[in-house]
Amino acid sequence: SFPGQPAITCGDLQTNGFVGSIPADQCERLPNLINEVCGCDPRTPDPTPNPTRPPTPGPTPAPIVARTPEPTPGPTNPPCDICGEDMSMSIGIPDAIVEVPGQPAVTCAELQTEGFAGFIPSRTCDRLPAIVNRVCGCNPPCSVCGDGKEVDFPDAVIEFPGQPAIACGDLQTLGYIGSISDGQCERLPDLINEVCGCDQRTPDPTPNPTR
């Protein structure tokens, strides 16, 4: 305590000094007055912080280089006629579905388009006529009863050895669309005449003359 002043703890006195509540002339005399009671020792310095290591930078990512796609190779095969080069008629049934071993089913027209574009290898093209001839209608038109004749009994059913039964009218249609080869067509009139009734084709009626 100081004469004429209320008692105060050393800590509060130090706080008053820090906040500026003690005049400068009084502050200069205080060390000698309070040293014995308050124990005025040199201030303990703040601990020196350990040095902080800068973060190790991560590896720089390699730049992303856009790859240019490889160009699609063009066809390298010669044009292919799936019906065969010696066929006098093109595809008669373009929407028919044909299945080539090892390939997905496609229509005859689609297969021919691939052939013309050069997407069918030559060795495959050589085998195609035997596979697609009947399905795609690659043969010349055939009159199953013979030239100038047609079936009289289209609903009659005829059977050939090793083949499913077929109506005479359906057989005649197959001939017209090219599904019957020349060699078979030439033999058919003698085989079907009795069942299908092969008569001379009825001529179209002559229209009346217009006046």
Side-chain angles (χ1 to χ4, degrees):
S1 62
F2 300 99
Q5 297 293 331
I8 185 171
T9 65
C10 294
D12 291 341
L13 181 64
Q14 180 173 259
T15 300
N16 288 340
F18 285 156
V19 299
S21 297
I22 301 174
D25 57 339
Q26 293 180 359
C27 186
E28 293 176 357
R29 299 194 300 271
L30 282 178
N32 295 328
L33 298 175
I34 69 172
N35 183 30
E36 185 176 347
V37 177
C38 295
C40 294
D41 292 330
R43 185 182 302 169
T44 303
D46 294 333
T48 303
N50 295 326
T52 304
R53 296 182 61 186
T56 303
T60 303
I64 299 175
V65 180
R67 297 186 60 188
T68 303
E70 295 291 335
T72 303
T76 57
N77 304 291
C80 166
D81 188 338
I82 66 172
C83 286
E85 295 181 359
D86 58 344
M87 289 295 173
S88 60
M89 178 182 176
S90 59
I91 295 171
I93 319 173
D95 294 330
I97 302 298
V98 63
E99 296 185 12
V100 179
Q103 300 293 329
V106 295
T107 66
C108 295
E110 291 170 339
L111 186 62
Q112 183 61 83
T113 298
E114 292 183 3
F116 285 153
F119 288 109
I120 300 178
S122 296
R123 60 182 182 279
T124 303
C125 185
D126 293 341
R127 299 197 303 269
L128 283 180
I131 298 173
V132 308
N133 183 292
R134 185 178 187 86
V135 178
C136 297
C138 291
N139 301 283
C142 159
S143 177
V144 295
C145 281
D147 292 340
K149 297 181 180 181
E150 60 184 12
V151 298
D152 282 337
F153 313 121
D155 295 329
V157 175
I158 190 167
E159 297 183 23
F160 301 101
Q163 299 290 332
I166 186 172
C168 294
D170 292 340
L171 182 65
Q172 180 169 257
T173 298
L174 291 178
Y176 287 155
I177 63 177
S179 291
I180 300 175
S181 66
D182 281 345
Q184 292 175 336
C185 189
E186 291 174 358
R187 299 194 300 271
L188 281 178
D190 293 336
L191 298 175
I192 70 171
N193 185 29
E194 185 175 346
V195 176
C196 296
C198 291
D199 289 334
Q200 293 290 332
R201 185 176 302 164
T202 303
D204 295 331
T206 302
N208 294 324
T210 56
R211 297 180 62 182

